[in-house]
Amino acid sequence: MLDTEPHPAIQAWREVEPRRAQPRLVEAIQHRRRSQVYRLRWPGDGGSIIAKRCRRPMTIVEQTTYRAVLPFADVRAPAYYGYLDDATSDPADPFAWLFIEDLGPHRYAPGDAAQRSRLARWLGEVQAAFLAPDARRGHTLPVRDAAYYQRYLRRAIDELPALAAERSFSGSLPVLVKAVVLMLQSLQEQWDKVVATFAGVPMTLVHGDCLPKNIHVVPGPAGEVVPIDWGNAGWGLPGSDLGQSTLLLGRTLIGEASYEEYANALQPVWPECDAALVRRLATLGRLLWSIKVIAMSVPGFRYDSAAKVEQILSIYSSVLLTSLQDVHWAEFEGQG
Ligand SMILES: Nc1ncnc2c1ncn2[C@@H]1O[C@H](COP(=O)(O)OP(=O)(O)OP(=O)(O)O)[C@@H](O)[C@H]1O
Ligand SMILES: [Mg+2]
């Protein structure tokens, strides 16, 4: 699309870089209420960048990760180009702009063994770099610990039955809601194992939503595999991102990840780390992710059609169910 009026993304970029030649083309990649993503192009082969407008708290986490945290690990990551508070947004629900390198359109394919090992090495290198507390000092990111996920667990257990009653769902949906609540309650009963696991392993930088859709493959012979969309990042459980990277939602549920290669990358700084432990942490990472997305979906479920609620909840509930089946709590006794 050729814009004659400056697009809000171009206006924001102008404020960040007033002296540079301005992009002329704006390609909308994703337009949702909570986030809008554009590709800004310069004429000819002047290149392109990504402009993302999102809620300010998440944008600050994502900006911090690109600007200050990932460069410390010295890996291939999108270059950071700028940040701007969106002065036009509602002060009660502020948004901000983030400008980063365009990594191109290719997404991670978890079925490709070469890509799986590149991702395991990328995550392993980054997460090994932040295992020492000294490396985390000086970087302000939220903590994604057991208490963080327990808040989501409690919220989901409290709010799902209330939602079902309020919406008077019919057909198979009430059964699905009940099954999800029962699974969440059974998880709550095992929560001491989750707490012990967090206590027994060192924290590191985590992406927090490391699904295949949030991992790109950089064009070129090296074909680096690089996670994007770091708005949920923080200090959390090693191995958890690797677990989420197998989730092709709505399709064959759980794929494989290169647990061995990830463990190899961590062993120099964490000698007890082996493929079996990484597999357990990865399963827990999927489980924790499913609690969070279920809890976060409930407010929207108040307004979604029953068919949409059922579609989303059944996808998340299959991740929850499969992770619970894979988790084998006995192996978590005396973790670490
Ligand atoms: N640096 C980038 N390079 C190339 N494409 C990008 C980049 N950043 C974002 N995109 C594209 O824009 C899409 C949305 O971006 P992003 O995942 O950051 O937004 P989001 O609103 O947080 O998405 P979601 O909640 O769906 O994961 C990505 O799936 C990708 O296709
Ligand atoms: Mg995304």
Side-chain angles (χ1 to χ4, degrees):
M1 152 178 108
L2 179 61
D3 265 353
T4 43
E5 289 288 297
H7 186 280
I10 292 191
Q11 290 180 33
W13 175 247
R14 270 188 191 162
E15 280 196 48
V16 171
E17 284 285 354
R19 280 180 295 279
R20 268 189 68 178
Q22 295 305 312
R24 296 282 299 282
L25 300 167
V26 180
E27 185 188 310
I29 299 179
Q30 181 163 290
H31 201 281
R32 296 187 180 148
R33 209 177 65 82
R34 61 172 177 77
S35 89
Q36 300 95 47
V37 182
Y38 306 96
R39 178 169 279 119
L40 308 186
R41 287 190 190 279
W42 277 260
D45 56 1
S48 59
I49 61 170
I50 296 290
K52 177 172 176 180
R53 180 182 177 274
C54 196
R55 290 212 158 90
R56 189 171 184 271
M58 290 186 88
T59 309
I60 288 175
V61 170
E62 190 163 13
Q63 182 250 21
T64 306
T65 309
Y66 287 130
R67 179 183 50 76
V69 181
L70 285 173
F72 177 87
D74 198 21
V75 285
R76 180 71 172 91
Y80 166 70
Y81 296 141
Y83 168 94
L84 184 76
D85 284 326
D86 181 354
T88 69
S89 59
D90 177 358
D93 184 17
F95 278 63
W97 288 95
L98 179 69
F99 297 93
I100 51 171
E101 180 186 352
D102 181 4
L103 293 187
H106 306 290
R107 283 195 179 152
Y108 176 63
D112 178 327
Q115 290 189 24
R116 280 203 303 273
S117 40
R118 283 188 200 125
L119 178 70
R121 263 179 276 144
W122 193 98
L123 287 171
E125 250 177 76
V126 169
Q127 294 177 336
F130 289 102
L131 276 187
D134 269 1
R136 300 199 293 279
R137 229 162 266 143
H139 297 302
T140 314
L141 283 180
V143 175
R144 310 306 193 189
D145 57 5
Y148 171 79
Y149 286 102
Q150 196 180 26
R151 285 195 287 277
Y152 285 111
L153 179 62
R154 289 203 177 116
R155 246 173 70 183
I157 291 173
D158 289 349
E159 293 178 12
L160 270 172
L163 170 87
E166 182 187 312
R167 293 280 314 262
S168 6
F169 291 136
S170 59
S172 47
L173 189 47
V175 181
L176 176 62
V177 171
K178 206 166 183 180
V180 170
V181 173
L182 283 173
M183 286 190 278
L184 294 172
Q185 284 168 338
S186 84
L187 178 53
Q188 195 168 37
E189 281 161 23
Q190 304 291 338
W191 199 255
D192 57 327
K193 314 271 192 342
V194 177
V195 173
T197 304
F198 272 90
V201 304
M203 283 216 161
T204 189
L205 175 69
V206 293
H207 181 287
D209 189 26
C210 200
L211 265 49
K213 66 169 182 157
N214 287 330
I215 306 169
H216 273 227
V217 179
V218 183
E224 293 116 325
V225 171
V226 179
I228 58 162
D229 193 5
W230 288 81
N232 289 287
W235 305 121
L237 198 69
S240 54
D241 289 339
L242 194 65
Q244 292 152 20
S245 75
T246 65
L247 293 174
L248 280 170
L249 299 183
R251 288 201 260 158
T252 320
L253 196 58
I254 307 259
E256 272 303 289
S258 301
Y259 302 113
E260 189 83 47
E261 277 189 83
Y262 180 84
N264 289 344
L266 265 70
Q267 266 161 10
V269 283
W270 184 19
E272 305 82 50
C273 182
D274 61 15
L277 173 58
V278 172
R279 188 181 282 273
R280 288 205 294 280
L281 296 173
T283 303
L284 193 51
R286 286 192 281 266
L287 191 55
L288 297 171
W289 176 88
S290 70
I291 304 170
K292 179 173 169 178
V293 291
I294 289 170
M296 284 181 67
S297 302
V298 178
F301 285 167
R302 297 221 144 75
Y303 310 101
D304 289 334
S305 68
K308 187 162 180 204
V309 173
E310 185 151 14
Q311 185 202 7
I312 296 173
L313 197 58
S314 48
I315 290 172
Y316 294 162
S317 106
S318 23
V319 180
L320 176 62
L321 173 66
T322 322
S323 311
L324 279 172
Q325 284 166 345
D326 289 349
V327 82
H328 308 303
W329 290 117
E331 294 172 2
F332 284 79
E333 306 280 0
Q335 184 72 63

